[in-house]
């Protein structure tokens, strides 16, 4: 048995844990406060974060407006899922109660939010938006391609600065806590940060007579955030369920069927609810009214999405661009085509099917 400040785990053949729910406000709320981040108005910041917030107002503005981007990526990755990364308006937990549970979904959101901050800060540094950083002229190396070896050393995206800052800022909260959930968050935050660094590419510009490329400037550039989103989505699929080790210092896998988690893996403690029905206790919104795909066999199939409750079909007309022709030179002209398509939406729960069939 293992007693932790705000989580209790029992080992009976498998580990069963209870976590006292804490109000999970965090820096995520900064995104809803508009461009002007007022450090004292973000309820979830701990002292250290408030201090950094006051010292780096431009950085905070960048992080705040970047929040929209990683939430959009989260929603894109989960658009076909019962849980779709939706946010609650004017709710300082941002994602609602769902993430209070130490689930796979919580693991993903912590990872992609940290990754998002690294991406945002790196881009802001390279664009010269921040006083405390710029692109990184120190990065140098040699590479080779079909034309032979070449040296490079242009101004690279400064991902290391962003990694350090986001770690200091984001981890500040969970570093104070040191309970099981805090260790889980810290682990997934780091996995997210590392995921951005994985997608740095060498980009080159050719110079020389008529693009002969005898001279070139190359630099390390971050790939589109979609790559990070997709990578973390795969990590979500392969996330490892863990228990605290007996010293409370790290994790071991909860079941032998899982592999041992590495620093790149997402980890979680608790199984997810099925997210089928609206449930104020877990924060699940349910899938009533969600669009499903009748021919798919995946998570977005009507069978899976609607949890066996069935679906309604409606015909809707829509306008698309069609018969696009290229006109010399240089325009593409299209016609507007009208088509009628069937849209299927999941039935909501009613008292007769509520829970009983799930
Ligand atoms: C996510 O699901 C909820 C409820 O199931 C729905 O209200 C919302 O529109 C969905 N959001 C997106 C981005 O699809
Ligand atoms: C539905 O799923 C099928 C099979 O996966 C796919 O080909 C089709 O594009 C999907 N339709 C929509 C509207 O997403």
């Amino acid at each position: 048995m293992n007693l932790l400040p705000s989580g209790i785990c029992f080992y009976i053949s498998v580990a069963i844990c209870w976590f006292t729910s804490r109000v999970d406000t965090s820096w995520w709320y900064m995104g809803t406060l508009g461009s002007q981040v007022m450090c004292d108005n973000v309820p979830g910041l701990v002292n250290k974060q408030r201090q950094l917030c006051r010292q780096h107002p431009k950085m905070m503005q960048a992080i705040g407006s970047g929040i929209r981007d990683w939430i959009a990526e989260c929603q894109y990755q989960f658009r076909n899922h019962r849980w779709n990364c939706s946010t609650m308006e004017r709710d300082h937990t941002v994602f609602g109660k769902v993430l209070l549970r130490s689930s796979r979904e919580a693991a993903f959101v912590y990872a992609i939010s940290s990754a998002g901050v690294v991406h945002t800060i790196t881009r802001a540094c390279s664009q010269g938006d921040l006083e405390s950083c710029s692109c990184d002229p120190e990065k140098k190396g040699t590479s080779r391609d079909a034309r032979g070896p070449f040296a490079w050393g242009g101004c690279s995206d400064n991902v290391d600065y962003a990694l350090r800052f986001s770690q200091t800022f984001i981890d500040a909260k969970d570093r104070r806590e040191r309970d099981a959930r805090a260790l889980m968050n810290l682990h997934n935050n780091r996995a997210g940060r590392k995921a951005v660094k994985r997608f740095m590419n060498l980009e080159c510009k050719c110079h020389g007579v008529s693009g002969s490329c005898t001279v070139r400037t190359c630099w390390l550039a971050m790939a589109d955030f979609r790559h990070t989103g997709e990578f973390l989505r795969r990590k979500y699929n392969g996330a490892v369920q863990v228990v605290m080790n007996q010293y409370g210092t790290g994790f071991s896998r909860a079941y032998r069927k899982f592999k041992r988690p590495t620093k790149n893996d997402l980890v979680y403690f608790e199984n997810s609810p099925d997210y089928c029905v609206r449930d104020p206790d877990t924060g699940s919104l349910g899938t009533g009214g969600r669009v499903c795909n009748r021919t798919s066999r995946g998570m977005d199939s009507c069978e899976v999405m609607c949890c066996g409750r069935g679906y309604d079909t409606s015909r809707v007309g829509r306008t698309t661009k069609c018969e696009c022709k290229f006109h010399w030179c240089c325009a593409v002209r299209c016609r507007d085509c009208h088509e009628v398509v069937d849209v299927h939406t999941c039935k909501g729960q009613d008292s007769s099917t509520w829970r009983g069939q799930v």
Side-chain angles (χ1 to χ4, degrees), residues 252-327:
S252 42
R253 56 195 166 160
Y255 305 99
R256 293 189 69 93
K257 68 176 178 184
F258 288 106
K259 60 172 194 153
R260 287 197 177 82
T262 70
K263 287 180 179 176
N264 295 314
D265 290 311
L266 303 189
V267 300
Y268 66 98
F269 292 121
E270 298 177 278
N271 288 321
S272 303
D274 59 22
Y275 299 112
C276 278
V277 294
R278 183 175 284 274
D279 179 356
D281 288 340
T282 62
S284 163
L285 296 176
T287 60
R290 287 283 301 279
V291 172
C292 63
N293 184 331
R294 228 169 51 139
T295 52
S296 160
R297 293 165 162 267
M299 294 300 291
D300 62 338
S301 70
C302 289
E303 198 53 39
V304 175
M305 181 64 83
C306 306
C307 308
R309 295 188 306 263
Y311 53 88
D312 298 314
T313 302
S314 55
R315 315 214 100 179
V316 296
R318 65 180 177 200
T319 308
T320 53
K321 298 278 172 221
C322 61
E323 293 177 31
C324 296
K325 286 207 181 82
F326 180 75
H327 292 264

Side-chain angles (χ1 to χ4, degrees), residues 44-170:
L45 300 187
V46 297
N47 281 340
K48 169 93 180 165
Q49 289 173 322
R50 237 174 259 292
Q51 198 184 333
L52 285 165
C53 182
R54 293 202 194 94
Q55 287 165 354
H56 302 271
K58 285 208 170 140
M59 187 81 81
M60 294 304 132
Q61 221 168 308
I63 293 175
S65 52
I67 289 174
R68 228 181 313 123
D69 300 334
W70 61 256
I71 289 181
E73 183 58 30
C74 180
Q75 293 181 343
Y76 173 80
Q77 293 298 335
F78 284 88
R79 65 201 180 285
N80 293 332
H81 265 242
R82 288 177 185 164
W83 175 77
N84 63 2
C85 200
S86 54
T87 54
M88 312 290 137
E89 234 169 285
R90 283 188 295 281
D91 181 325
H92 55 233
T93 63
V94 180
F95 293 95
K97 262 185 163 176
V98 167
L99 301 190
L100 287 180
R101 192 189 281 238
S102 303
S103 64
R104 228 178 240 268
E105 289 73 34
F108 182 83
V109 171
Y110 277 78
I112 198 158
S113 64
S114 310
V117 168
V118 173
H119 196 91
T120 304
I121 296 181
T122 305
R123 202 177 39 198
C125 289
S126 290
Q127 287 172 351
D129 295 345
L130 306 172
E131 291 112 15
S132 49
C133 62
S134 63
C135 63
D136 182 2
E138 305 273 294
K139 281 241 161 48
K140 289 185 174 63
T142 53
S143 287
R144 59 181 304 129
D145 63 8
R147 295 191 189 85
F150 61 94
W152 55 272
C155 217
S156 292
D157 274 340
N158 199 348
V159 73
D160 291 322
Y161 176 86
L163 284 171
R164 279 195 306 276
F165 189 91
S166 64
Q167 179 175 12
T168 311
F169 179 71
I170 298 174

Side-chain angles (χ1 to χ4, degrees), residues 114-235:
S114 310
V117 168
V118 173
H119 196 91
T120 304
I121 296 181
T122 305
R123 202 177 39 198
C125 289
S126 290
Q127 287 172 351
D129 295 345
L130 306 172
E131 291 112 15
S132 49
C133 62
S134 63
C135 63
D136 182 2
E138 305 273 294
K139 281 241 161 48
K140 289 185 174 63
T142 53
S143 287
R144 59 181 304 129
D145 63 8
R147 295 191 189 85
F150 61 94
W152 55 272
C155 217
S156 292
D157 274 340
N158 199 348
V159 73
D160 291 322
Y161 176 86
L163 284 171
R164 279 195 306 276
F165 189 91
S166 64
Q167 179 175 12
T168 311
F169 179 71
I170 298 174
D171 285 2
K173 181 169 192 179
D174 287 300
R175 225 177 295 122
R176 279 180 3 147
E177 309 271 350
R178 281 289 160 199
D179 59 9
R181 176 59 189 265
L183 286 181
M184 169 181 152
N185 293 346
L186 290 172
H187 179 101
N188 294 319
N189 287 350
R190 181 178 53 194
R193 288 193 302 269
K194 283 164 70 77
V196 179
K197 194 158 181 179
R198 183 177 282 265
F199 298 103
M200 301 290 288
N201 296 318
L202 200 58
E203 282 182 7
C204 296
K205 213 180 236 163
C206 280
H207 310 281
V209 189
S210 59
S212 60
C213 218
T214 46
V215 181
R216 54 186 137 178
T217 320
C218 302
W219 61 95
L220 276 178
M222 249 179 346
D224 192 271
F225 195 57
R226 178 59 37 90
H227 292 278
T228 305
E230 252 145 33
F231 177 79
L232 289 176
R233 175 58 214 277
R234 289 198 297 278
K235 288 295 177 188

